[in-house]
Amino acid sequence: MTDILLVSNMMPHIQEALEARHTLHRLYEADDKDAFLASVADKIEGVATMGKADAALIDSLPNLKMIASFGVGYDGVDAAHAASRNVVATNTPDVLNDDVANMAVTFVLTCSRRFSEWERFARDGRWQNEGDPPLARAINGRKVGILGLGRIGKDIARKLEVFGCVIGYHGRSQQADQAYEFYDSLTDMARDCDFLIAICPGGEATRGIVNQQVLEALGPDGTFINVARGSVHDEDALVDALASGRLGHAGLDVFAAEPKIPERLRALDNVTLQPHQGSATVETRRAMGDLVANNLLNFFDGKGAITPVAECADIR
Ligand code: NAP
Ligand code: 8YV
């Protein structure tokens, strides 16, 4: 039996799987979190979290060996610090590729067909008074730039090729095994594209890289889609570009200060919004939860973590 700290309230099937073999301590239920943490800190060897574990938490647990985080993005987990303390951090890659890619494809379709605008137009009874709305745009033959051609980015590319889209990508380096056009400049890719889809990690390295220059390069006929992290776009620049028409449309699943969405953004017609739902299907969330639990169970059975993050890949 190992003592595991639940930082956040995790799905019931995760808690049941862990509780059958280990002792759980629920930090999220404590009124005085500091006092609770101090009372259990010495015995905690594992942490389960919904994407957050900072250096202070890691340092408060002297016998910590493993952090299992729910979600593939781990910008809220200080993985470098964990590695420096010989603590393994894990995430939940691959099991969510299909659903997150489907969300990106849905944005491409709904933004190009102005689906939410015309849905409101029909619902509000405007059709009978104003006649047909303006024509939308086709996606066949149009160019899509993918910022982050990783596990999910490749799935998005494959799916959009079926719709006849032409794919380009930007990342820190060209991938020798990929035939898609590589851009070493994000601005150049935005200038060449009708759609720019962000699906790279969040964190300091990508903070605000979709800035005013990139959005204006995408232009009045362009659409920006973000299914990565809200930190990747400059949200003030994005709202200004959409409001002034210097950017045509945006499809956003993620925001700078979730769950808050700026009122100026919510008021715009040329934006399609989702409350961070990329992986939010019963099937995918179940698989992500299984992976969180199995990472902890495997590790504390002495069989090693299943999906350690890159920073922790060499820790045993
Ligand atoms: P991945 O396989 O690690 O792919 C990440 C891609 O981003 C790689 O192609 C990488 O290419 C590129 N990249 C990394 N750092 C970069 C930088 N500084 N500048 C430009 N490109 C960079 O990750 P994944 O599994 O596809 O997931 C990607 C991200 O999607 C996650 O980290 C998460 O934030 C987000 N996500 C969101 C949702 C949602 O619900 N909306 C769900 C799942 C994931 P290079 O190494 O060549 O730069
Ligand atoms: C998370 C995500 O599951 O995997 C990620 O990186 O962003 C989502 O799939 C979600 O943030 C959980 O709250």
Side-chain angles (χ1 to χ4, degrees), residues 72-73 75 96-97 100 147-153 170-173 175 199-202 205-206 209 227-229 253-254 276-279:
V72 67
D75 42 302
L96 40 54
N97 294 354
V100 182
L147 163 55
L149 192 72
R151 290 170 292 237
I152 304 170
H170 168 76
R172 290 166 300 181
S173 51
Q175 300 180 37
I199 185 64
C200 58
T206 56
I209 61 173
V227 285
R229 285 289 181 267
D253 188 41
V254 289
H276 202 145
Q277 294 293 290
S279 67

Side-chain angles (χ1 to χ4, degrees), residues 83-133:
S84 76
R85 287 254 337 261
N86 223 32
V87 171
V88 180
T90 63
N91 62 347
T92 61
D94 289 319
V95 293
L96 40 54
N97 294 354
D98 189 53
D99 270 324
V100 182
N102 287 349
M103 173 66 87
V105 171
T106 302
F107 273 130
V108 171
L109 289 166
T110 53
C111 292
S112 61
R113 298 304 297 263
R114 303 176 70 170
F115 200 84
S116 36
E117 271 174 86
W118 301 158
E119 201 274 344
R120 286 194 294 277
F121 183 88
R123 187 183 294 274
D124 293 347
R126 289 173 56 198
W127 188 19
Q128 62 193 26
N129 299 324
E130 299 175 35
D132 290 343

Side-chain angles (χ1 to χ4, degrees), residues 162-236:
V162 174
F163 286 93
C165 295
V166 179
I167 308 295
Y169 72 101
H170 168 76
R172 290 166 300 181
S173 51
Q174 183 162 10
Q175 300 180 37
D177 60 346
Q178 294 301 319
Y180 304 125
E181 184 175 3
F182 172 71
Y183 288 86
D184 59 11
S185 155
L186 179 55
T187 306
D188 288 349
M189 182 169 81
R191 194 171 292 115
D192 270 6
C193 283
D194 301 294
F195 298 88
L196 170 64
I197 302 178
I199 185 64
C200 58
E204 288 318 306
T206 56
R207 187 172 297 284
I209 61 173
V210 178
N211 56 21
Q212 181 184 345
Q213 179 183 298
V214 171
L215 295 168
E216 289 182 2
L218 195 53
D221 288 328
T223 297
F224 171 58
I225 292 165
N226 192 350
V227 285
R229 285 289 181 267
S231 56
V232 172
H233 62 238
D234 174 337
E235 205 149 281
D236 288 334

